[in-house]
């Protein structure tokens, strides 16, 4: 009895896609007789005709559509296996020291690591969390190889930078707050809110990244830890500013509203030593790809 084969499944899929044995043969680089022979063998394995022979071309039967559907799954799986084996054989090995500011470690960095690790199992990443000035200093001294930094960065000559995204700032508010169902809010409308900030001086926190001199915030609580800030927000004790990178990690009890202010944007950049792993490193590529995905997911969430 004939068996399903990888070659046969590939031929069946091509014939269904092009609705022609001759075009399938041309696409695969086979002769038309070879394609016909493979189709016959696959029909024997299926125990039923897979194609209707028409005056011009062919059309999958009900049995053919079943085989094509599974052929897509099988062939895609085989392609993934080949890709992973290829990556494993040529994968990047060694240790890389990555620094990142706190909110980048909430979603961006973990997702990038989850993407790059299976493809490069011999790559060891040591993660260090810190503030941007300290991370930049560690990078320039050779204590880090790469870092995700926030805000305007003036790197030394030994360090290069590349943009990851312009991270919009949001107001995080309790789920039942009047702002919770809005997409955006002008900064002036936030004048009367009670704020939870990260330091005694509002200008030294994210709040100071966009608030002008027209009004002073009413500071209800000061908390440096993001878990504490968001816990206070969820309890209805005030609002705070969060970067877009943190939004995917927010609890359901916290809603976000885009701040409608040109200054309510914080650049996020990737920095790396010029004599070390550069912007073409797989980890750097994973960080760029993940930043793009998170940005798209955030826009979709806010539209919904």
């Amino acid at each position: 009895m004939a068996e399903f084969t990888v070659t046969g499944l590939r031929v069946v899929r091509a014939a269904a896609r092009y609705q022609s044995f001759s075009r399938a043969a041309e696409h695969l680089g086979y002769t038309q007789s070879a394609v016909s022979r493979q189709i016959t063998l696959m029909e024997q394995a299926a125990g039923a005709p897979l194609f209707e022979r028409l005056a011009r071309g062919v059309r999958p039967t009900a049995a053919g559509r079943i085989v094509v559907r599974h052929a897509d799954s099988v062939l895609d799986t085989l392609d993934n296996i080949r890709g992973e084996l290829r990556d494993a054989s040529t994968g990047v090995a060694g240790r890389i020291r990555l620094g990142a500011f706190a909110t980048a470690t909430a979603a961006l960095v973990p997702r990038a690591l989850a993407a790059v690790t299976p493809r490069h199992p011999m790559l060891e990443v040591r993660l260090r969390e810190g503030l941007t000035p300290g991370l930049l200093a560690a990078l320039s001294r050779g204590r880090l190889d790469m870092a995700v930094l926030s805000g305007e960065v003036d790197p030394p000559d030994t360090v290069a930078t590349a943009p990851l995204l312009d991270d919009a700032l949001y107001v995080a508010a309790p789920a039942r707050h009047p702002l919770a169902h809005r997409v955006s809010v002008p900064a002036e409308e936030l004048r009367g809110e009670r704020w939870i900030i990260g330091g005694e001086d509002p200008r030294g926190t994210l709040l100071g990244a966009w608030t002008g001199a027209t009004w002073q915030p009413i500071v209800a609580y000061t908390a440096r830890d993001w878990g504490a800030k968001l816990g206070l927000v969820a309890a209805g004790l005030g609002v705070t500013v969060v970067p877009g990178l943190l939004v995917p990690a927010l609890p359901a009890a916290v809603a976000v509203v885009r701040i409608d202010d040109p200054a309510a944007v914080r650049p996020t950049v990737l920095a790396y030593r010029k004599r070390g792993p550069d912007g073409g490193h797989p980890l750097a590529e994973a960080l760029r790809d993940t930043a793009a995905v998170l940005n798209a997911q955030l826009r979709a969430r806010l539209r919904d």
Side-chain angles (χ1 to χ4, degrees):
M1 180 179 178
E3 297 286 343
F4 290 108
T5 65
V6 173
T7 299
L9 292 175
R10 203 175 296 280
V11 169
V12 169
R13 184 171 70 172
R17 180 176 298 169
Y18 294 104
Q19 297 187 353
S20 165
F21 289 170
S22 60
R23 290 186 62 193
E26 181 181 348
H27 172 74
L28 296 171
Y30 296 165
T31 64
Q32 187 167 345
S33 61
V35 166
S36 297
R37 184 165 57 253
Q38 288 295 328
I39 295 293
T40 299
L41 290 173
M42 293 301 94
E43 289 181 328
Q44 291 173 1
L50 300 181
F51 292 95
E52 296 179 51
R53 275 68 170 178
L54 307 174
R56 293 185 177 180
V58 296
R59 180 171 58 201
T61 62
R65 290 192 291 273
I66 292 173
V67 173
V68 169
R69 174 162 50 86
H70 287 285
D72 283 337
S73 177
V74 169
L75 295 172
D76 287 347
T77 298
L78 291 175
D79 287 341
N80 288 337
I81 291 172
R82 291 190 188 95
E84 289 185 23
L85 289 172
R86 182 178 60 251
D87 290 338
S89 64
T90 61
V92 176
R95 178 186 299 174
I96 186 166
R97 299 162 299 173
L98 173 67
F101 61 93
T103 51
T105 62
L108 172 62
V109 171
R111 294 189 188 190
L113 293 178
V116 78
T117 300
R119 292 186 174 275
H120 301 280
M122 301 303 292
L123 177 65
E124 179 187 357
V125 180
R126 294 289 181 90
L127 180 61
R128 170 179 168 179
E129 182 182 306
L131 299 176
T132 287
L135 294 174
L136 184 58
L139 191 62
S140 65
R141 293 170 186 160
R143 296 176 182 173
L144 291 174
D145 302 303
M146 195 175 294
V148 180
L149 306 179
S150 172
E152 299 294 338
V153 176
D154 183 16
D157 293 339
T158 57
V159 174
T161 62
L164 285 175
L165 76 159
D166 287 331
D167 197 16
L169 300 182
Y170 296 80
V171 172
R176 295 185 179 180
H177 193 282
L179 292 174
H181 300 292
R182 294 180 61 173
V183 173
S184 64
V185 59
E188 281 299 315
E189 289 189 24
L190 300 170
R191 181 189 297 263
E193 298 294 336
R194 291 170 56 82
W195 291 92
I196 299 159
I197 64 174
E200 296 298 332
D201 182 2
R203 293 172 299 178
T205 67
L206 282 178
L207 189 63
W210 57 270
T211 301
T214 58
W215 55 277
Q216 289 296 315
I218 303 168
V219 177
Y221 297 95
T222 300
R224 296 187 181 279
D225 179 74
W226 277 106
K229 283 185 187 178
L230 297 174
L232 291 166
V233 171
L237 297 174
V239 301
T240 194
V241 175
V242 296
L245 285 176
L246 187 62
V247 170
L250 294 181
V254 175
V256 290
V257 186
R258 173 77 160 81
I259 301 170
D260 187 10
D261 188 296
V265 176
R266 187 177 64 164
T268 299
V269 302
L270 177 65
Y272 49 88
R273 289 175 55 80
K274 293 180 179 178
R275 295 184 179 180
D278 59 20
H281 191 279
L283 179 57
E285 293 178 354
L287 287 165
R288 284 195 296 270
D289 292 345
T290 303
V293 169
L294 287 175
N295 206 21
Q297 289 177 346
L298 179 57
R299 291 198 301 267
R301 169 177 171 171
L302 293 176
R303 284 196 301 268
D304 295 340

